[in-house]
Amino acid sequence: MTTPAAAGNLSPIPQPIAAPLTRAAIFLVVTINSGGANVAVRSLCADLAALLRAVGFREPDGNLSCIMAFGSAAWDRLFGEPRPSELHPFREIGAGTRHAVATPGDVLFHIRAERMDLCFELAAQIMARLAGAVATVDEVHGFRYFDSRDLLGFVDGTENPTDQDALDATVIGEEDPAFAGGSYVIVQKYLHDLAGWNALPTEAQEHIIGRTKLSDIEIDESIRPSSAHNSLNTIVEDGKEIKIVRDNMPFGQVGQGEFGTYYIGYSRSPRTIEQMLQNMFVGRPPGNYDRILDFSRAVTGNLFFVPSATFLDEVTPDAPLQAEPAVASPAVETSQPIPPVPDGSLGIGSLKGKPRS
């Protein structure tokens, strides 16, 4: 498999990770079937950009985009060596009744647009190309809720970096030069107990989230609980906060009483988000967990690698493939803490990787 590092002197082009937030999204997670399915998936990689153009050209103001990402076991099947340096199965986290579950998933399609019909059409075209080659394990249709609020009533994504800061936070540079232009993404589907949440006084909700509900102003640290959601999701290395890009979406089925948030976070290293989840589920310190988990339950969990658009364009269906193992690779890793770093750093290094020349 040709990697971007071998493709010449031009810097690889990332997939549109930092695209502006949209009004609609489809999150599609599939597993790859046995047999000749690898060829169909590899064939789609280089054709995805053409499918995107064919659908998006009809509505240029729709801001249609699509991210294609791969799980650890799927990477071995499709591409073999070399591997992205930090790609591994999603690590489950369990603490008391709180459980960040790991669920099957080989390929993620994150489809975004201003209109759901554009998302739907592209998803349909993708699945038509992969008919018989994959099985859908999760499909969520998300919507932007009023002024970017989740179903808990709070604005979601306020602290997202933008423009160059978003690229610096999400796009791999010199730390893994063979996969420069790539990124990591973690997804989880959360179901909410809205009846229980809405029974809380607004002030109690605000102290759980760490922001005021109406104005979205961060509560002063002097009175904000250390277990507040925004406190536990703040990761600092060498005195500097390490940012990620979230594009969470509400979803639900009113008739079934199902209400939730699809969490999706992009980062330059998965350790950033893994540390956030460790803080939320176990606590910082242990026991000082995120009280939002008393009302929200994670029912899926996956870690994927997002190769650069350059990488996808260079994939060919007839390249030599790694033989499939006789026994399927485990879909998940058992629960384990994030490896400690003596100086308190996540060990990610500088946020600003130098572009390859």
Side-chain angles (χ1 to χ4, degrees):
M1 175 64 201
T2 301
T3 64
N9 293 326
L10 295 177
S11 296
I13 300 172
Q15 293 193 60
I17 296 164
L21 301 183
T22 56
R23 301 296 305 177
I26 291 179
F27 306 94
L28 188 60
V29 177
V30 303
T31 53
I32 303 173
N33 297 335
S34 58
N38 290 355
V39 173
V41 177
R42 288 177 60 101
S43 178
L44 177 64
C45 291
D47 292 345
L48 182 62
L51 278 182
L52 183 63
R53 287 192 299 270
V55 177
F57 181 78
R58 288 175 275 172
E59 293 289 346
D61 295 331
N63 295 328
L64 179 65
S65 67
C66 180
I67 301 292
M68 186 178 187
F70 304 90
S72 180
W75 186 276
D76 291 338
R77 283 185 58 181
L78 295 169
F79 310 120
E81 296 291 341
R83 284 172 52 87
S85 62
E86 296 191 80
L87 180 59
H88 56 259
F90 182 85
R91 292 169 176 158
E92 291 191 339
I93 302 173
T97 60
R98 302 175 301 282
H99 189 196
V101 298
T103 49
D106 288 331
V107 185
L108 165 71
F109 296 99
H110 179 198
I111 304 171
R112 292 176 278 188
E114 294 302 323
R115 291 169 26 187
M116 180 55 74
D117 58 342
L118 291 171
C119 297
F120 185 87
E121 174 67 10
L122 182 57
Q125 293 294 337
I126 288 171
M127 293 306 291
R129 284 289 305 272
L130 295 177
V134 301
T136 302
V137 293
D138 194 35
E139 179 179 349
V140 173
H141 294 210
F143 53 88
R144 192 65 59 196
Y145 194 53
F146 292 106
D147 50 339
S148 296
R149 295 180 185 267
D150 57 28
L151 294 181
L152 301 179
F154 285 79
V155 176
D156 197 357
T158 302
E159 294 300 323
N160 264 355
T162 58
D163 302 325
Q164 187 59 46
D165 289 338
L167 296 175
D168 291 339
T170 58
V171 178
I172 294 167
E174 62 185 3
E175 68 270 27
D176 193 4
F179 294 99
S183 184
Y184 294 91
V185 59
I186 285 179
V187 297
Q188 293 176 293
K189 181 165 69 174
Y190 285 88
L191 298 181
H192 303 320
D193 171 15
L194 282 190
W197 176 259
N198 290 332
L200 292 178
T202 297
E203 185 177 3
Q205 295 179 356
E206 291 175 337
H207 279 79
I208 290 173
I209 300 297
R211 288 183 173 274
T212 56
K213 192 169 187 178
L214 178 62
S215 61
D216 189 40
I217 302 300
E218 189 171 52
I219 296 174
D220 188 86
E221 191 174 1
S222 64
I223 60 174
R224 185 176 72 230
S226 59
S227 62
H229 180 71
N230 59 354
S231 296
L232 294 176
N233 277 272
T234 299
I235 306 297
V236 177
E237 178 188 357
D238 297 330
K240 183 174 182 179
E241 183 178 352
I242 308 300
K243 294 282 192 176
I244 67 170
V245 169
R246 301 171 179 85
D247 200 355
N248 304 345
M249 280 279 192
F251 68 91
Q253 298 183 74
V254 177
Q256 297 184 24
E258 179 183 274
F259 308 96
T261 297
Y262 198 93
Y263 169 84
I264 181 164
Y266 292 95
S267 68
R268 192 162 174 165
S269 167
R271 283 176 287 166
T272 305
I273 301 177
E274 288 171 337
Q275 186 64 65
M276 292 177 177
L277 295 179
Q278 187 81 5
N279 293 347
M280 288 176 60
F281 283 81
V282 177
R284 186 176 65 185
N288 190 50
Y289 68 91
D290 190 340
R291 267 53 182 183
I292 200 173
L293 296 176
D294 292 339
F295 305 92
S296 298
R297 176 170 56 95
V299 295
T300 69
N302 299 98
L303 166 64
F304 300 97
F305 179 71
V306 183
S308 68
T310 304
F311 183 103
L312 291 181
D313 287 343
E314 293 171 356
V315 174
T316 57
D318 56 350
L321 302 178
Q322 177 172 304
E324 294 184 35
V327 179
S329 301
V332 301
E333 285 190 0
T334 55
S335 175
Q336 60 185 72
I338 307 304
V341 180
D343 62 358
S345 162
L346 285 175
I348 299 171
S350 169
L351 276 178
K352 294 184 180 293
K354 297 178 181 177
R356 293 166 53 246
S357 56

